[in-house]
Amino acid sequence: DGGITQSPKYLFRKEGQNVTLSCEQNLNHDAMYWYRQDPGQGLRLIYYSQIVNDFQKGDIAEGYSVSREKKESFPLTVTSAQKNPTAFYLCASNLVQGGTGANVLTFGAGSRLTVL
Amino acid sequence: GNSVTQMEGPVTLSEEAFLTINCTYTATGYPSLFWYVQYPGEGLQLLLKATKADDKGSNKGFEATYRKETTSFHLEKGSVQVSDSAVYFCALYAGGTSYGKLTFGQGTILTVHP
């Protein structure tokens, strides 16, 4: 079955360490996204990528970095510059439809990062 | 800019009660509207959607009608079950230069007791 795989599901980090969250999709979707979820705040967009080798900052990109070397993969690095990294991180993808209609995102199961 | 506002939670109901979760939005043009559901420890799943005014999205007994005159997309279900306990997110897609990005509400936690 096609879908999005995020790993690891749980991750613990010491302050000052960088960590990388993996996101892989086999849906042949063009666009991929990273969202951060905090209790009571909904989802906030960190980065997104429409095509390979191109990505754009979302609303809360500071302290994060991404790469898009392959269509299937969009890893997120949480750097030591991120002041409050403890959160649930969600990766999503979609087949960009050129803005002509509904735009349905498919989500992974998420990765929970805890800073010790 | 675009925004989505959901009713404050959490919402606690008894099984077979009627559910309404309010959602209003602010957007230019004619956005598409969505309800996503998140079960504990999981990612989000699309519950239903509507792409134009007066459209009604429905799935698994849930319904929502796109009301442009009131900029609303309230979620309803006639008889909830314990298995409906989850977090529900209202979202919009504004199209144009949104490049596929969705704007989400803050989520509403629903707990259904037997």
Side-chain angles (χ1 to χ4, degrees):
Chain A
D1 288 338
I4 298 178
T5 301
Q6 290 187 239
S7 62
K9 190 168 179 66
Y10 299 97
L11 184 61
F12 297 89
R13 188 194 93 174
K14 294 182 181 179
E15 286 194 28
Q17 288 182 333
N18 293 354
V19 294
T20 297
L21 308 180
S22 170
C23 177
E24 303 280 332
Q25 55 102 354
N26 61 2
L27 299 165
N28 199 33
H29 284 174
D30 297 305
M32 298 186 74
Y33 309 81
W34 275 105
Y35 285 89
R36 170 178 169 143
Q37 183 178 11
D38 295 283
Q41 295 192 45
L43 276 69
R44 294 181 290 170
L45 183 65
I46 304 172
Y47 269 98
Y48 64 101
S49 168
Q50 298 293 298
I51 56 173
V52 174
N53 292 323
D54 185 55
F55 49 83
Q56 305 295 327
K57 293 181 179 180
D59 301 317
I60 56 165
E62 184 175 352
Y64 300 97
S65 65
V66 294
S67 62
R68 186 86 187 276
E69 297 176 0
K70 299 185 301 181
K71 187 175 185 177
E72 304 80 22
S73 179
F74 191 42
L76 173 74
T77 297
V78 184
T79 75
S80 57
Q82 169 51 234
K83 299 304 181 188
N84 184 22
T86 294
F88 191 54
Y89 292 88
L90 287 161
C91 180
S93 71
N94 72 358
L95 187 64
V96 179
Q97 297 177 0
T100 57
N103 190 69
V104 177
L105 292 183
T106 300
F107 283 85
S111 293
R112 185 167 297 281
L113 172 63
T114 302
V115 173
L116 303 174
Chain B
N2 303 321
S3 67
V4 175
T5 302
Q6 293 181 228
M7 65 184 290
E8 293 288 331
V11 174
T12 302
L13 296 173
S14 297
E15 206 164 25
E16 299 184 2
F18 183 85
L19 168 70
T20 300
I21 301 178
N22 290 338
C23 171
T24 57
Y25 68 90
T26 301
T28 56
Y30 302 91
S32 297
L33 301 173
F34 307 84
W35 278 101
Y36 280 83
V37 58
Q38 183 181 34
Y39 298 103
E42 298 182 8
L44 277 68
Q45 303 172 26
L46 178 68
L47 182 59
L48 53 84
K49 68 180 189 290
T51 60
K52 60 183 186 297
D54 299 326
D55 266 3
K56 177 185 284 188
S58 61
N59 186 27
K60 300 181 180 180
F62 291 90
E63 293 183 339
T65 301
Y66 188 161
R67 302 288 188 198
K68 188 165 180 61
E69 63 277 13
T70 54
T71 62
S72 66
F73 192 55
H74 305 323
L75 182 68
E76 297 182 337
K77 186 175 185 182
S79 176
V80 294
Q81 305 300 311
V82 172
S83 58
D84 293 327
S85 298
V87 183
Y88 292 81
F89 291 92
C90 186
L92 72 81
Y93 172 61
T97 58
S98 296
Y99 301 114
K101 296 180 291 180
L102 296 187
T103 300
F104 287 88
Q106 73 270 33
T108 300
I109 300 172
L110 170 65
T111 302
V112 180
H113 293 296

